[in-house]
Every structure is written in C-alpha cells, then in structure tokens.
Amino acid sequence: MKIRVGLTKTPKAKPAPGQKLGFGRIFSDHMFVMNYKTGKGWYDPRIVPYGELSLSPAAMCLHYGQTVFEGMKAYYGEKGEIRLFRPDQNFARLNNSNRRLTIPHIDEELCLEGLKKLIQVDKDWVPHDQGSSLYIRPFIIATDPMLGVRPGDEYLFLIITSPSGAYYESGLAPVKIYVESNYVRAVRGGTGMAKTGGNYAASLIAQDEAHKQNYSQVLWLDGVEQKYIEEVGAMNVFFVLDGEVVTPELHGSILPGITRSSSIQLLRDWGLNVSERRISIEELDKANDEGRVLEAFGTGTAAVISPIGELRWGEKKMIFHGGSIGQLTQRLYDTLTGIQYGRLPDPHGWSVVVTE
Ligand SMILES: *Cc1c(COP(=O)(O)O)cnc(C)c1O
C-alpha cells in the first residue's frame, strides 16, 4: 500500500533548544492515519497535518473503551542520525493487544514504514537536548457510530509524536513507590497483558491516593490473593536478590515490557542469572530485612531504568540500597541508553536508524 503524504501549510514553531519540554504536551506538525472498515480491511495510509479528529458522539471507543496503544521513542544519535529502539517489538505487541480487544490485525511492516516516513517529515521535531527524545504514540480506536456492545466495524489507526524532555532532569534518581493492597490492576484472563485504555483508567484512583501520600507510583500485587508482586503503573520490576536477578514471570496479567525483555537479555549477556518467577511481597520484605536484597529497579520506555529507593507496604517502609542507586541498576541504565542513543555497540541489532 502506498503511503500518501500531505504536508501542513502552517508549520508550528518548534521548541527552542534548552526549552523545558515536559512529557506529552507538545505535538509535532504531522500524524500518520489509516482507516479500517469490515470487508475492506485497512486502507488509505497517509501522513497528514496534525489536527483534531471528527468523531460521532456515538463512536464506540468513547463508550466502551475499545482502544489500544503503544509507546516508543526516537532519539538523535551521536552522528546526527535518528534512531528507534526495537520498533518491531512495539508493533508486534500492538497486534497482541489487538487480538485481546478484537481489533483487526495491522500490517506491522506497513506501520513501521509509516512511522519512519512520519519521523522523516517531522525530523526537526526530534529534540537534540541531552536525554530528550521524540515520544511516539501509535493507537487504534473503534469509531462506529453505534451504541450496541459488539466489536467495531470501523477503526482509526494513528501515530502522533511529541518532543519530550529527559525523564530525569538532574540525572538518574531513585523513586518511592506505594504497594497497593486495596485496588487491583489486572487478573489472569483479563486485559493486563494488553496496552488498552481501560487498564489505565482503572488505575487512576490508586495513583491518586499514592500521590497524596507523596509516593510517585503504585506497585500492583496479583489480583486474586494480593500477595505476589506484579508491576508498577508503566514499569516492570526487578530485584537483585540472593545473587540473582528476580522479576515476576509473565502469566497474562503483567504487561510484557520491551525494556524488561531487553534488560533480561543484557543481564544474561553479563553472565548473571535472571529468574522469572513468582515473588511475594512477604518474601521480598523478609529478604530485605535480612539484607539479601541488594537493588530494586523498574523498567519502561519512559524512564528506561528507574532505581527504586523505597517501597511502602502498609506501615512498613522497605529501603533498597540505602535509598541510593545500585551498581547494576546504573550499569543497565547506562548500557540501554548508550545503545538507544548510538553511543555504545548494539550487539543484538536493537537500534533502527531512520535517517542518516
Ligand atoms: C508500557 C508499560 C510497561 C513498560 O513497557 P515498555 O515496553 O518497556 O515500555 C510496563 N507496564 C505497563 C503497565 C505498561 O503500560
């Protein structure tokens, strides 16, 4: 399918170097759009000026949440090239989310081609400041104007992009996380493994309550017994425990992070033992009391690696690595960001160069 390109006649002013970008507030000049209709399939892939959508107030996505999304970044490399990190994995995961939400399968290669074209058109929107990136948000919504509950017959696939600042403004810093023992995020058989809007809507109340107590994020426990560690709002979690690295196994309710799988690969490359297994919050607490937990960190596209300085579980505060950054955590952060920005060798071929 040929991707049509329609350029804006009114380009916006780009953020100035050094300007505070924040996250997800500024949008580039163009977006990628593609339509779907049952019987016709996906059609008319195109790059158009960024702008508002026209939707029926009865559009299905607005009522029943039949939506999926992805999150990824483009970075300026050392030699002025623009890089993506494992974008094939994002489009493959989008199709997994599609399957769960009964949204039609997308052509992953066509979407990657559309993304590359979009970035080429908006290359001046990729920020140059240290640690900054162009955040990329592919998403799909059901647009049928119909209030019956059933899978849609009409969809829109879009990619929008947003120049975003460094996640850590003053260098890698440990986060404090609240262990949620009241609300749950997902259960096996639910939608936990999909990036779909409803998961995040349902998590807002817990995040809000954690914020009120000065915790930046929530650690979710399993939805059945509220005993086993699952993940943080938009991060998977790892613990350096008894000489190995432990992370909860993927069993349907945890989002399979691309930063998670990349971290596991690097840790194994370095000769470390990584165990994907069930780990209860009690086990972690006991091990930490006994001095057997050396480091704790989260992994996700936004922060890449987040050292966890404190976990608050009921009345208990678990402090890891004295509340400072562990050695392995720092090494993973340096290596992953090094590969992403093209400063370090990329032995697994994870980086994809968009422009030279
Ligand atoms: C996106 C996301 C992650 C992290 O995935 P990455 O591919 O590493 O960015 C982890 N958990 C949840 C719930 C997420 O939405």
Side-chain angles (χ1 to χ4, degrees):
M1 248 186 298
K2 192 161 159 39
I3 301 170
R4 163 162 93 70
V5 179
L7 298 181
T8 181
K9 292 189 178 65
T10 52
K12 292 174 283 194
K14 290 164 191 73
Q19 181 182 328
K20 265 208 171 17
L21 298 171
F23 173 75
R25 294 176 183 279
I26 303 168
F27 299 97
S28 68
D29 273 331
H30 299 88
M31 59 188 184
F32 176 83
V33 188
M34 181 163 70
N35 295 73
Y36 179 93
K37 220 181 178 80
T38 298
K40 193 168 176 181
W42 289 105
Y43 65 94
D44 198 13
R46 58 204 184 271
I47 288 170
V48 296
Y50 179 90
E52 286 172 13
L53 299 177
S54 163
L55 280 184
S56 161
M60 290 172 83
C61 62
L62 301 176
H63 302 272
Y64 308 123
Q66 201 191 3
T67 66
V68 291
F69 69 93
E70 269 302 322
M72 57 215 279
K73 288 174 172 176
Y75 318 81
Y76 256 115
E78 299 279 278
K79 298 181 195 75
E81 78 287 13
I82 299 174
R83 296 168 167 269
L84 294 165
F85 183 72
R86 310 187 75 181
D88 55 316
Q89 298 287 309
N90 290 92
F91 290 119
R93 186 169 66 188
L94 190 60
N95 264 333
N96 285 335
S97 299
N98 283 342
R99 199 167 306 123
R100 181 64 182 80
L101 273 291
T102 61
I103 290 173
H105 189 274
I106 49 149
D107 177 342
E108 294 164 25
E109 277 177 26
L110 175 72
C111 294
L112 182 53
E113 192 193 330
L115 171 60
K116 286 181 176 173
K117 215 167 212 146
L118 176 63
I119 292 171
Q120 278 158 355
V121 165
D122 276 341
K123 65 180 186 323
D124 295 338
W125 286 89
V126 183
H128 276 89
D129 292 340
Q130 170 84 22
S132 65
S133 58
L134 185 72
Y135 184 78
I136 299 161
R137 169 54 56 87
F139 64 107
I140 304 177
I141 55 175
T143 55
D144 310 38
M146 220 294 272
L147 294 181
V149 179
R150 57 150 177 80
D153 279 321
E154 292 169 31
Y155 297 87
L156 270 183
F157 172 100
L158 297 104
I159 307 177
I160 57 175
T161 68
S162 171
S164 296
Y167 191 88
Y168 296 106
E169 285 187 3
S170 39
L172 194 58
V175 290
K176 288 167 53 178
I177 293 177
Y178 189 87
V179 182
E180 178 56 55
S181 348
N182 182 25
Y183 305 108
V184 300
R185 176 183 176 274
V187 290
R188 217 177 281 199
T191 56
M193 37 57 73
K195 265 181 135 65
T196 181
N199 289 342
Y200 305 84
S203 74
L204 295 176
I205 187 167
Q207 189 181 306
D208 206 39
E209 289 176 12
H211 281 174
K212 286 191 184 120
Q213 302 197 58
N214 257 327
Y215 289 85
S216 60
Q217 293 173 74
V218 167
L219 177 72
W220 297 103
L221 301 178
D222 76 277
V224 178
E225 295 175 78
Q226 288 189 271
K227 187 171 168 188
Y228 298 100
I229 294 170
E230 297 241 306
E231 61 173 318
V232 177
M235 288 198 296
N236 298 107
V237 287
F238 289 73
F239 304 97
V240 183
L241 193 166
D242 287 339
E244 63 169 13
V245 186
V246 177
T247 190
E249 64 183 337
L250 301 176
H251 48 51
S253 58
I254 295 176
L255 199 288
I258 295 159
T259 323
R260 175 188 184 275
S261 73
S262 308
S263 298
I264 293 174
Q265 181 68 58
L266 288 176
L267 292 163
R268 288 186 176 147
D269 290 352
W270 299 339
L272 291 152
N273 205 28
V274 182
S275 169
E276 297 178 68
R277 65 165 171 91
R278 288 217 295 192
I279 173 168
S280 70
I281 189 78
E282 283 106 332
E283 179 190 344
L284 181 73
D285 181 47
K286 183 163 181 288
N288 194 45
D289 278 347
E290 294 169 1
R292 294 186 284 119
V293 183
L294 295 187
E295 302 181 32
F297 59 89
T299 65
T301 296
V304 189
I305 300 290
S306 249
I308 301 173
E310 178 189 324
L311 275 186
R312 160 87 178 273
W313 179 42
E315 293 308 305
K316 184 105 186 226
K317 281 183 183 174
M318 296 179 216
I319 307 291
F320 302 104
H321 207 268
S324 69
I325 305 165
Q327 218 181 347
L328 198 58
T329 305
Q330 184 75 51
R331 185 178 177 197
L332 260 184
Y333 179 78
D334 292 342
T335 308
L336 275 170
T337 52
I339 294 171
Q340 289 168 341
Y341 286 89
R343 291 188 297 261
L344 290 179
D346 177 17
H348 298 285
W350 287 336
S351 267
V352 172
V353 173
V354 178
T355 54
E356 292 297 342

